[in-house]
Structures are given as structure tokens and as C-alpha cells.
Amino acid sequence: MARWIQFPDWADGTARLLHNALNKAFYLRDDLIDICRSVGLPPHEFDWGQPAAQLWLGITRDCADAGRLKELIEHVKGRCPAVGGDLDTVLSARNTGIEWYTTRERHLALLLGPGCARAVLDRRELRAHLLDLVHRQYPVLTITGEPGTGKSYSRYLIHHIAGDPALDCEFRTIDVEDDFYDRVDAAGFMTVLATRLGLDSAFDVDRHTEQARTVRELVNLFVGRFSTLPRRLRWVFIDGLDRPQVAPDVHMAVARLAKEVEAGQLFNTRLIVTGHSGEFAPPVMEVLRHEELSGLTTSHVHGFFRGLADHTGQPISDNELEELAEAVLAEADLADLALLGAAASRAAHIRFSSGGEP
């Protein structure tokens, strides 16, 4: 069973113990800046106007990503022996949950969900774009591709990133296929979006005029209501805009929402959409990331198992890779992502879950 400091679970009791001890030890800004310098973190990357308890969440996460979490803990322990007992507990802790697989960097995860039951193969470009949403503040991401290439499946990785406790993000999803029984127009779409965010969903607009005017009125009302929400980070994922029941004015509404996001009118919001036609205003194109999906290949299956071998520290031979890939593809077709992911996950558990203990 891996040591907690190697693969920290930021939502468990060990993480709470660590952050409580760090916050007791040092809570003045100058001390925290000095500690960052001592462990090699660039102080200019932090917003020092935050409370110390919030700053420690970012500092520990960055140290873990850089492989310096143990160094940070030892440094604080040396400077403040009073919290040494709690920090020793953290240093000796091991991951005890059923999820045997974790990664230092959340966006690199190949297995997701309770029990690590869902596999994510490939998606290198999506992983990079999600980092841009988190760190470089690109606010709009679009995902396109033919049916069956994984646009909807993207939600699992996106939710995994958004669920990072250090991000403190509110995540909301609209799934066209599940949320609408038949044809959906802009008014119906904006009603569901407002409802998901806890806003007044009654839109009194003229629906018997040109579509562009109706959409503009709908979005203007939405933006005004959005301004009453508590100011926090929100990720909104809209899936399935290429479904046949989606009216053209829904695409117009999404494009206008993206423009409002780019203009800062929807405070600290990230907009992620699949299947959109791609017609955005020029300012949006400057802050937009786009992933065009194509089908998976056998090499992606090989890459999945190579990645697991690397993450768990368990070497794997080329022959084993071939055998694992053949076993997975005997159960599932490359075009069936749900079935393929389940088969790959089962094979991964059999091969890797019992080994790799440091």
C-alpha cells in the first residue's frame, strides 16, 4: 500500500491533519513566502491576499506535483517542533481506501471513479486543455468529433479535474440527450441552465421576433440573474449540442454565453461544450481551447497500460502489453468507449492492483 505523501488524497483525514498542522505552525504571509522559497516554489505564483488556510491548500498541492511534499513537511517540522507529532503521522500514513490507484497530478489520471472502475484512454489534448482552464485561465473549451469518438465520455475526466478540493469548484452539467425529451430551443435550454444554477428560470422574452434578438434578451436576463450568485469558481459542461433535436438558436445562445464569459460578465466561469458548430465571436476565439476527436487505436490501449505501469512503479514487458491489449479487445470494440473502458479497467485491476508497494 503506497505512502500517502507519494499519492495524497486531498479529501481524506490525513489531508485535514496535514493542513491543520501547517496552519497552526505558520499563518503569517512572510513566513509562508519564506517557506515557499525554501522548498523551491516561486512565490509570485500565489495570491498572497488569501487566508493562510487557503494558501496552504495550494502550497501543499504544488509541492506534491513537484515531488517535494515530504521536503515541505520536514522543513515545517524542523521550524516548528510543536506540530512534529501530527506531521510524523502524515509522513507515515498510507493510502487505506479501496482506490489503489492515484496520481500526483490529477489531470494525468487513467482510472477514475469509485474503486477506480472507469478507464480513460488517451485524451492527451483534453488533459492539456483542462490544465489551461485551471492554471492559465482560458475560460472556454470546445470538444468536437464524429459520434462515438468520446465527446460525452469527456465528462468523467472533466468532473475529476473539477472535483479537486484545492480547486473549490462548482460543477454543473447539461446533457441534451438526458435533459430534454424532444426538440430543444434557446428558451428551453436557458431555462434548464438557470435552474441548474439555482436561478429564476422564468424568461419573459418575445419569442415571436428574430432569433438573434430573442437569444440576446435571454442571455441578458441570465447574466443579470447570474450576478446575484455568490462569487466563486464555476465549471459549466454542456454536452450534446450536435444532437438532431437541438435547434439552431441553442448554438446562438451558447456562442453568446461564451462571449459573456470572455468579457467577465459571468464571474470566474469556465464553459465547456461538446458538439457546438464552432461559430464564436473573435474575442472568444482568442481565449478558447478546442479538441477535435478521432477514434481510438490499439496503440492507445498500449499507452493506457504503459501509463499505469509508470504510475504504479511496476515494470511491464512488451509481451505483457500485447497480451493485455488482446484481452481487452476480445471483450470490446475500439468504437464502444463505455465497454472498452470497463474491459480495460478490469484488466488493469487484475494486473496492477496487488503490486507496486514501495
Side-chain angles (χ1 to χ4, degrees), residues 12-26:
D12 69 7
T14 301
R16 288 190 293 274
L17 177 64
L18 170 63
H19 290 128
N20 287 339
L22 294 174
N23 203 43
K24 286 178 186 176
F26 296 103

Side-chain angles (χ1 to χ4, degrees), residues 108-164:
L108 297 177
L110 297 168
L111 290 168
L112 309 175
C116 300
R118 180 172 287 115
V120 178
L121 288 76
D122 191 32
R123 309 311 298 273
R124 183 177 303 175
E125 192 171 0
L126 176 60
R127 298 175 197 276
H129 291 337
L130 290 174
L131 278 187
D132 284 340
L133 262 67
V134 173
H135 296 302
R136 299 180 63 194
Q137 298 186 327
Y138 279 79
V140 182
L141 168 63
T142 67
I143 303 169
T144 57
E146 295 298 319
T149 53
K151 297 187 299 297
S152 296
Y153 204 81
S154 305
R155 175 172 63 88
Y156 301 117
L157 182 59
I158 294 167
H159 196 187
H160 181 70
I161 302 296
D164 185 346

Side-chain angles (χ1 to χ4, degrees), residues 185-190 203 205-223 247-258 260:
D185 61 10
F189 169 77
M190 294 301 297
F203 289 95
V205 298
D206 184 358
R207 304 188 188 189
H208 302 288
T209 185
E210 59 177 326
Q211 285 186 339
R213 177 173 296 186
T214 301
V215 167
R216 185 165 57 249
E217 291 180 12
L218 284 166
V219 175
N220 285 343
L221 285 170
F222 176 81
V223 170
D249 61 350
V250 176
H251 288 267
M252 296 170 62
V254 169
R256 193 160 189 89
L257 285 170
E260 300 292 352

Side-chain angles (χ1 to χ4, degrees), residues 255-296:
R256 193 160 189 89
L257 285 170
K259 186 176 179 181
E260 300 292 352
V261 167
E262 181 277 329
Q265 298 304 295
L266 301 178
F267 176 79
N268 219 6
T269 294
R270 305 290 183 265
L271 180 64
I272 306 163
V273 299
T274 74
H276 180 63
S277 58
E279 298 177 0
F280 292 102
V284 175
M285 298 302 295
E286 296 176 2
V287 297
L288 176 146
R289 288 294 187 242
H290 174 229
E291 181 188 26
E292 175 69 30
L293 288 174
S294 57
L296 291 176

Side-chain angles (χ1 to χ4, degrees), residues 9 43 71-72 116 148 181 197 241 277 320 336 339 344:
D9 179 351
E71 180 183 346
L72 171 72
C116 300
Y181 293 109
L197 291 167
L241 292 176
S277 58
E320 283 184 287
D336 189 336
L339 192 59

Side-chain angles (χ1 to χ4, degrees), residues 55 82 85 136 145 150 176 228 242 248 255 258 278 291 300 328:
L55 284 165
R136 299 180 63 194
V176 168
T228 66
D242 54 351
E291 181 188 26
H300 291 132
V328 168

